[in-house]
Amino acid sequence: MLTLNGEIMKTKTSSIFTRFDINLEVEKQKVRKVSTDELLQEVADCVAEGDDDEIENIVKNVLKTKSPVKVIDEGLIPGMNEVTRLWDEGVYFLPQVILSSDTMIAGIALCEKRMGKLMEKKGKVVTHTAEGDIHDIGQVIVNALLNAAGFEVINLGADVPVDEVVKACKLHNPVMLTGTALMTTTMTAFPKIAAELKELGLNIPFVCGGGAVSEEYVISFDYGVWGKEASQASAMAEDALKGLSWQEIRNKWNG
Ligand code: B12
């Protein structure tokens, strides 16, 4: 390159010409090994690499020898955890994360289909993702596991206004309510919901999970029970079905 006074300036061409296909390969190598099982590792890699073309074949294949819950717990979730790590480290950006979450959700749907549904439903659980929040992967896992455990899931979806959550609880009279929040700006909906439930005398455990909420935060309001892992949701719903109060469920699972 010539400068203004005619001198030749040495330029590093590697910073101008970028081979994005090669960069992608480098990114792939950054996905860590998360399982000693080859098939489960394939599932995790598929999510971490956001390969939504391959997920169906890979999950159908692994489901021949492993249970759907194992595929979710030891393949899909660890794969998504890798995406979270790569995002936090600045390796992944929104496009990769969107591809991975679509791949994850497709994988969960296949597992859910395989788990089947019991004819007799045990009781209702209302699930939602907080108002203003579209991060619904945790909720999708919770839904699948509750369904598999025989609960009737009233799935309100993501970004649900406080009043709609309360209205659904009034209408369905569930044994338990769940909420997921991944953003510090959206988790503030949970104490509002709890306060409205209290005003109506709807005395139900409200299990709150998602990366944004801490145990300390959730147990700071009445009805709140902190859910660390999605897999706890069905055991907590069983407790609620047995008649344990929100205080008893909180004492058992938190603190
Ligand atoms: C995937 C992802 C997305 C995807 C979401 C896709 C989807 N359908 O969910 C997309 C690309 C769409 C997205 C968008 C955005 N995102 Co985003 N995203 C993430 C990422 C990388 C991973 C989250 C995830 O799915 N984790 C995997 C799931 C399984 O984890 P989980 O939900 O926590 O669930 C586990 C437990 O918490 C628990 N659990 C959850 N719910 C429940 C319920 C019960 C009952 C129980 C028992 C347990 C339980 O079980 C699960 C494990 O078993 C995080 C990074 C991070 N560090 O978390 C950022 C992150 C959450 N995103 C963030 C942001 C800022 C955004 C955007 C605003 C970006 C933008 N500028 O547009 C938008 C949000 C728009 C909106 N209004 O919501 C921030 C939030 C910051 C904050 N603290 O407020 C994070 C933390 C990234 C960061 N470090 O900045 N995002």
Side-chain angles (χ1 to χ4, degrees), residues 70-83:
K70 199 173 175 78
V71 176
I72 293 178
D73 277 351
E74 295 176 32
L76 294 166
I77 292 180
M80 199 62 210
N81 289 342
E82 275 300 280
V83 176

Side-chain angles (χ1 to χ4, degrees), residues 22-64:
I22 292 175
N23 279 355
L24 201 69
E25 286 306 313
V26 173
E27 274 176 17
K28 277 185 185 175
Q29 288 162 21
K30 293 203 172 124
V31 176
R32 286 182 190 154
K33 201 165 155 47
V34 293
S35 175
T36 47
D37 184 286
E38 209 178 303
L39 293 177
L40 291 170
Q41 181 66 42
E42 262 185 44
V43 174
D45 285 344
C46 194
V47 171
E49 287 158 16
D51 193 346
D52 54 353
D53 289 333
E54 270 307 304
I55 190 74
E56 184 168 349
N57 289 337
I58 289 177
V59 169
K60 279 186 175 164
N61 185 40
V62 69
L63 283 173
K64 286 180 191 158

Side-chain angles (χ1 to χ4, degrees), residues 87-114:
W87 165 281
D88 289 343
E89 288 176 5
V91 178
Y92 273 14
F93 296 95
L94 273 185
Q96 290 98 331
V97 174
I98 290 171
L99 273 177
S100 288
S101 53
D102 288 351
T103 308
M104 169 92 181
I105 287 169
I108 294 170
L110 291 163
C111 292
E112 192 173 10
K113 206 165 146 195
R114 176 60 63 88

Side-chain angles (χ1 to χ4, degrees), residues 17 67 75 80 90 98 110 131 188 211 221 237 240 253 255:
F17 302 110
S67 75
M80 199 62 210
I98 290 171
L110 291 163
E131 181 163 10
T188 49
F221 50 89
W253 291 91

